[in-house]
């Protein structure tokens, strides 16, 4: 019976004890109050590490024999080091895995700690929830930015949101500064920069009403996601793609499927599937724990 703690970092820290891929005793949230969401960004690295560890200890609820602890971070993570974390900039360059591991030791918890990208946590959590722990799952998280996650965990960079999907020289809206990126089309900030006079939701509402400029953009949005998906299929093979996130409501699945079909023509690669699914903080926390268990060989 695997017993692990899963953690996700965003504007809140979510923590939970996961036993056999299921959350027991519910989810812990810090800070609890929405008014205090800015608190984590303002914390010093040491204070943030201490807070994360306190949450893990409380979630473990006296259980010292944990198999693993998994911490999902929004950003680029490599070998236990946070290389890039736009939403928690104080973590950049931190050896977060070692810091958490040492501090947990002081609390009497000695188990392997794994850092992972949050989209990989979503992929693992969805794999667990849909009973697909033996399959390959790829996930697009459509939020403020575009995240790409995969399960099972495979070492690599996987910045799929920055897949190049157009050679148009005017496509320069990605926050990373790169030209032609998926997130430069689908990202929330990018859409605002493109339509200075309209909010993203107004653009999609306009497309529904037949406004030509909005319809054109809706096509571009879906072609971009289809192109990135097709690229992933051509590189990693077919499999299940889950689409999720705050703004996944903007995705028109039949349109996406049609464009993807136009872009993937080799018959051995056509066994992929695209599905929109709901996820939640619970799914992410379970995913963090499941990924950490696999990394630890549990
Ligand atoms: Zn980019």
């Amino acid at each position: 019976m695997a017993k692990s703690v899963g953690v996700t970092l965003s504007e809140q820290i979510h923590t939970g004890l996961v036993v056999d891929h299921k959350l027991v005793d519910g989810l812990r949230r810090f800070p609890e109050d929405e008014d205090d969401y800015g608190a984590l960004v303002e914390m010093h690295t040491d204070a943030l590490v201490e807070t994360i560890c306190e949450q893990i200890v409380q979630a473990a609820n006296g259980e010292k024999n944990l198999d693993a602890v998994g911490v999902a971070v929004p950003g680029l993570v490599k070998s236990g080091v946070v290389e890039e974390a736009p939403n928690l900039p104080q973590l950049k360059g931190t050896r977060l895995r070692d810091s958490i591991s040492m501090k947990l030791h002081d609390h009497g918890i000695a188990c392997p700690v794994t850092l992972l990208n949050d989209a990989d946590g979503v992929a693992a959590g969805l794999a667990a929830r849909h009973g697909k722990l033996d399959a390959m799952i790829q996930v697009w998280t459509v939020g403020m930015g575009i995240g790409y996650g995969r399960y099972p965990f495979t070492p690599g960079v996987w910045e799929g949101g920055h897949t190049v999907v157009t050679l148009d020289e005017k496509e320069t809206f990605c926050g990373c500064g790169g030209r032609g990126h998926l997130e430069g089309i689908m990202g929330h900030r990018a859409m605002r920069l493109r339509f200075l006079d309209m909010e993203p939701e107004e653009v999609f509402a306009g497309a529904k009403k037949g406004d030509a400029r909005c319809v054109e953009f809706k096509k571009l949005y879906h072609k971009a996601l289809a192109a990135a998906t097709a690229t992933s299929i051509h590189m990693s093979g077919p499999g299940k793609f889950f689409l999720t996130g705050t703004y996944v409501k903007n995705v028109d699945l039949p349109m996406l499927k049609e464009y993807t079909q136009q872009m993937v023509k080799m018959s051995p690669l056509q066994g992929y599937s695209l599905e929109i699914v709901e996820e939640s903080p619970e799914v992410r926390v379970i995913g963090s724990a499941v990924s950490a268990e696999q990394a630890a060989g549990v």
Side-chain angles (χ1 to χ4, degrees):
M1 202 165 65
K3 252 185 222 164
S4 305
V5 170
V7 184
T8 64
L9 297 181
S10 55
E11 67 271 19
Q12 277 184 313
I13 302 171
H14 291 152
T15 332
L17 179 62
V18 177
V19 179
D20 278 343
H21 309 153
K22 290 194 178 67
L23 201 58
V24 292
D25 300 336
L27 200 65
R28 306 188 57 80
R29 298 162 196 269
F30 179 91
E32 283 177 33
D33 203 341
E34 211 168 314
D35 294 340
D36 302 327
Y37 275 8
L40 297 184
V41 185
E42 287 160 18
M43 267 185 197
H44 266 277
T45 312
D46 288 347
L48 186 53
V49 170
E50 182 67 55
T51 307
I52 294 167
C53 290
E54 280 166 12
Q55 294 296 309
I56 294 169
V57 169
Q58 288 173 21
N61 197 16
E63 180 62 66
K64 305 277 185 200
N65 286 322
L66 294 175
D67 290 300
V69 168
V71 183
V73 182
L76 187 53
V77 168
K78 206 176 156 194
S79 309
V81 180
V82 180
E83 300 207 327
E84 201 69 64
N87 303 321
L88 293 168
Q90 71 269 49
L91 289 181
K92 185 170 172 162
T94 310
R95 306 184 66 82
L96 192 59
R97 179 184 61 198
D98 294 348
S99 310
I100 291 175
S101 197
M102 281 194 298
K103 195 129 275 173
L104 285 180
H105 223 272
D106 297 344
H107 289 283
I109 296 175
C111 72
V113 175
T114 297
L115 282 199
L116 59 141
N117 170 270
D118 62 345
D120 284 338
V122 175
L126 289 171
R129 193 219 270 163
H130 293 263
K132 300 269 182 203
L133 285 169
D134 54 350
M136 179 174 79
I137 305 266
Q138 297 175 79
V139 175
W140 292 113
T141 56
V142 185
M144 291 303 281
I146 306 301
Y148 170 81
R150 55 163 57 208
Y151 172 89
F153 173 78
T154 324
V157 179
W158 313 124
E159 283 292 334
H162 302 272
T163 304
V164 175
V165 292
T166 167
L167 301 179
D168 187 334
E169 296 191 359
K170 292 192 291 295
E171 288 295 340
T172 54
F173 298 121
C174 193
C176 80
R179 189 196 283 168
H181 292 185
L182 177 64
E183 190 171 302
I185 293 171
M186 292 182 73
H188 218 64
R189 174 180 169 274
M191 283 194 270
R192 285 196 167 135
L193 288 172
R194 183 184 305 265
F195 288 89
L196 293 170
D197 55 337
M198 284 172 114
E199 284 295 312
E201 42 274 31
E202 294 173 319
V203 174
F204 287 100
K208 214 173 230 172
K209 285 189 202 131
D211 175 283
R213 187 169 66 128
C214 298
V215 169
E216 246 350 274
F217 176 73
K218 187 182 170 187
K219 287 183 188 164
L220 176 69
Y221 179 97
H222 286 83
K223 279 180 191 166
L225 184 54
T229 304
T231 296
S232 185
I233 292 169
H234 288 118
M235 298 294 278
S236 311
K240 205 164 197 32
F241 282 84
F242 284 133
L243 301 138
T244 190
T246 323
Y247 298 112
V248 77
K249 57 181 187 283
N250 294 334
V251 174
D252 176 337
L253 200 56
M255 184 182 263
L256 178 65
K257 283 182 173 168
E258 196 189 320
Y259 286 137
T260 311
Q261 243 164 37
Q262 291 169 11
M263 294 172 186
V264 180
K265 288 294 182 192
M266 296 176 189
S267 55
L269 299 184
Q270 285 175 340
Y272 61 86
S273 68
L274 300 164
E275 195 182 325
I276 292 176
V277 291
E278 296 231 342
E279 53 107 357
S280 60
E282 286 80 3
V283 166
R284 290 175 179 244
V285 164
I286 293 169
S288 303
V290 169
S291 293
E293 285 167 11
Q294 291 189 334
V298 176

